[in-house]
Amino acid sequence: MSQDSTTVPETSRKLSGRRRREIVAVLLFSGGPIFESSIPLSVFGIDRQDAGVPRYRLLVCAGEDVPLRTTGGLELTAPYGLEALSRAGTVVVPAWRSITQPPPAAALDALRRAHEEGARIVGLCTGAFVLAAAGLLDGRPATTHWMYAPTLAKRYPSVHVDPRELFVDDGDVLTSAGTAAGIDLCLHIVRTDHGADAAGALARRLVVPPRRSGGQERYLDRSLPEEIGADPLAEVVAWALEHLHEQFDVEALAARAYMSRRTFDRRFRSLTGSAPLQWLITQRVLQAQRLLETSDYSVDEVAGRCGFRSPVALRGHFRRQLGSSPAAYRAAYRARRPQGGPVERTDRPDRLERLERVDRPDRAEVIEPRSGDHSLPLRRQGAPGGPTGHSGHPPHHHHAPHPDPGKPESDAYAPRLPEQATGRAPGRPSLPGQRERPVG
């Protein structure tokens, strides 16, 4: 999971005597994108001891016996082969050339052997497909770029794919989302190995934030998953996207697919990598974004045109996914739009929060609990004190909510009433096989 820990996870194996923790092997393949490939080279391959960053020893290894051609036709020469993986305490696969092609068998064998001997295995973006092909993600939580997550989930059904996380740390196997999330994960590794000061010093050198909050939700689009066209559920998904302005729930989608709710949930998750309820909420919020950007509808009207049963439901889901209220999002979006130029999107929740506090300082807002969270609704106010803390805002959580795969979710867009509380302790359920680790 994408949080720091000071404990050693149960999955960690004892490192073989011939391997060294300070040695990082980066496994390159022909056809891999140069940007993703360069991330671990930049993080682990440059001596920055003068800035307080402990030094790693980098081994760049060719994963196959062919010329390593990358973006733009560049040809790379790796100084090491697969045999060098036997010395590494960390092995990074920064990318794989095609999510539809199987990786070389020799490289998969080398990764399995490294893992058995205690090495930490890391897959950045499409590198997760190489780890999955080696069987290293079986029964584990993992992530990849949101665009490829449905394919990973469908091709490797034993992997618990979460397309919302920026990165997932499962102890001795770690995966990340797209390009920038690869930097996040590499910084996380430095933080795990050498502490927050070292990771902060490295982040300053790279001119990136030492730790980004949130997940991939704000970057999702409404495109159908790559392989959905040949699946019988394609028609149901397409219908849902065309009728987001109507009020329907997952039960209605299951009925359109002529399936039971349980079967529909299982099939939908294997196809898209997401629970149907969470997918539907995300699509409604995305539609709300578009209307806030391109129309003058009030927030109440936007809620109705996106299938939410109330503006309260829209505000709760909108804030959880984008870190802002709909009104503040619209204000910030228009403030950043160049005069007479193309529309520019904002992804600055901190700015949005400031605008919201200025815009609506005296308005209290009822926020729905997260899906699967049976705690009572929270009331957010600008006054100090109360359960939300001194600023009136709830504590920040690094994770997006995880739906419970074994339990049918409740109506996503109806306000949750106090009497629906079950007494269960608040908090998100874990994915199967996912272990909770304390925040460091």
Side-chain angles (χ1 to χ4, degrees):
M1 62 198 63
S2 55
Q3 58 181 325
D4 299 325
S5 173
T6 56
T7 63
V8 178
E10 296 177 0
T11 53
S12 294
R13 302 164 185 260
K14 185 177 180 180
L15 194 64
S16 169
R18 61 181 173 174
R19 295 181 181 274
R20 296 290 180 269
R21 281 291 178 201
E22 68 274 11
I23 297 179
V24 177
V26 177
L27 193 57
L28 300 181
F29 297 96
S30 184
I34 194 169
F35 193 177
E36 284 82 349
S37 300
S38 70
I39 289 171
L41 306 184
S42 298
V43 171
F44 302 111
I46 299 176
D47 186 354
R48 297 187 177 91
Q49 294 180 88
D50 62 320
V53 181
R55 185 175 183 179
Y56 290 88
R57 183 183 174 192
L58 181 70
L59 303 178
V60 182
C61 307
E64 52 193 338
D65 295 327
V66 296
L68 302 180
R69 293 189 175 88
T70 185
T71 310
L74 297 175
E75 188 168 310
L76 306 178
T77 301
Y80 301 97
L82 290 172
E83 70 283 350
L85 267 62
S86 63
R87 291 182 275 159
T90 299
V91 179
V92 182
V93 183
W96 173 237
R97 60 174 163 263
S98 172
I99 61 175
T100 61
Q101 292 183 19
L108 299 181
D109 289 340
L111 287 170
R112 295 187 195 104
R113 188 161 50 251
H115 181 251
E116 289 169 1
E117 295 179 357
R120 175 174 51 190
I121 311 297
V122 181
L124 308 182
C125 194
T126 52
F129 283 82
V130 180
L131 273 58
L136 301 182
L137 298 181
D138 289 351
R140 292 177 179 264
T143 194
T144 187
H145 192 294
W146 61 264
M147 190 166 58
Y148 306 129
T151 303
L152 183 65
K154 186 174 183 180
R155 187 159 298 153
Y156 302 100
S158 61
V159 181
H160 307 308
V161 180
D162 189 341
R164 293 163 294 164
E165 296 284 11
L166 291 176
F167 63 83
V168 171
D169 178 349
D170 197 44
D172 54 357
V173 178
L174 304 88
T175 51
S176 81
T179 304
I183 301 175
D184 295 324
L185 180 51
C186 288
L187 286 172
H188 169 76
I189 291 171
V190 174
R191 187 181 301 111
T192 300
D193 290 348
H194 302 291
D197 288 346
L202 177 57
R204 287 191 293 274
R205 279 293 183 96
L206 297 175
V207 197
V208 296
R211 193 195 314 246
R212 284 195 299 161
S213 61
Q216 296 190 75
E217 286 101 331
R218 70 182 64 183
Y219 307 109
L220 302 175
D221 70 15
R222 66 180 294 169
S223 304
L224 296 180
E226 181 178 332
E227 298 181 356
I228 198 173
D231 193 280
L233 287 185
E235 183 179 344
V236 175
V237 173
W239 181 88
L241 291 173
E242 293 299 321
H243 293 79
L244 289 174
H245 58 284
E246 300 178 12
Q247 291 183 5
F248 60 87
D249 56 16
V250 177
E251 295 286 355
L253 295 180
R256 291 190 68 86
Y258 301 101
M259 296 179 185
S260 68
R261 172 64 186 270
R262 183 180 296 272
T263 300
F264 181 79
D265 283 3
R266 184 175 63 252
R267 287 285 307 279
F268 193 96
R269 186 184 292 274
S270 68
L271 180 68
T272 68
S274 176
L277 178 63
Q278 186 59 46
W279 178 86
L280 184 58
I281 292 171
T282 298
Q283 299 306 318
R284 293 193 188 281
V285 170
L286 288 170
Q287 181 67 3
Q289 276 185 272
R290 296 185 186 94
L291 291 179
L292 291 167
E293 294 170 358
T294 61
S295 76
D296 291 322
Y297 294 130
S298 68
V299 172
D300 289 14
E301 289 174 316
V302 168
R305 290 174 180 269
C306 296
F308 290 103
R309 290 182 177 170
S310 73
V312 171
L314 168 61
R315 291 189 182 99
H317 291 302
F318 199 95
R319 183 182 296 280
R320 278 195 292 274
Q321 291 198 21
L322 297 173
S324 166
S325 72
Y329 178 89
R330 169 179 274 169
Y333 180 87
R334 292 183 175 178
R336 291 172 61 87
R337 181 175 179 175
Q339 188 68 26
V343 170
E344 180 183 353
R345 186 172 238 154
T346 179
D347 283 316
R348 292 285 305 279
D350 56 339
R351 173 177 167 81
L352 301 178
E353 290 290 348
R354 288 197 300 270
L355 283 168
E356 182 184 11
R357 288 196 293 271
V358 171
D359 255 3
R360 303 169 65 181
D362 55 349
R363 175 150 183 184
E365 184 177 358
V366 177
I367 301 300
E368 266 190 293
R370 300 184 179 194
S371 173
D373 185 352
H374 300 285
S375 57
L376 298 179
L378 301 176
R379 191 166 187 86
R380 178 174 299 162
Q381 300 186 27
T388 58
H390 72 281
S391 66
H393 293 277
H396 173 72
H397 293 280
H398 189 67
H399 292 286
H402 289 254
D404 187 339
K407 177 178 180 298
E409 296 91 339
S410 61
D411 191 342
Y413 40 83
R416 200 182 293 267
L417 300 176
E419 56 265 29
Q420 289 175 283
T422 64
R424 178 181 172 185
R428 61 169 189 144
S430 298
L431 291 170
Q434 192 167 3
R435 288 164 293 283
E436 291 294 335
R437 297 167 59 191
V439 176

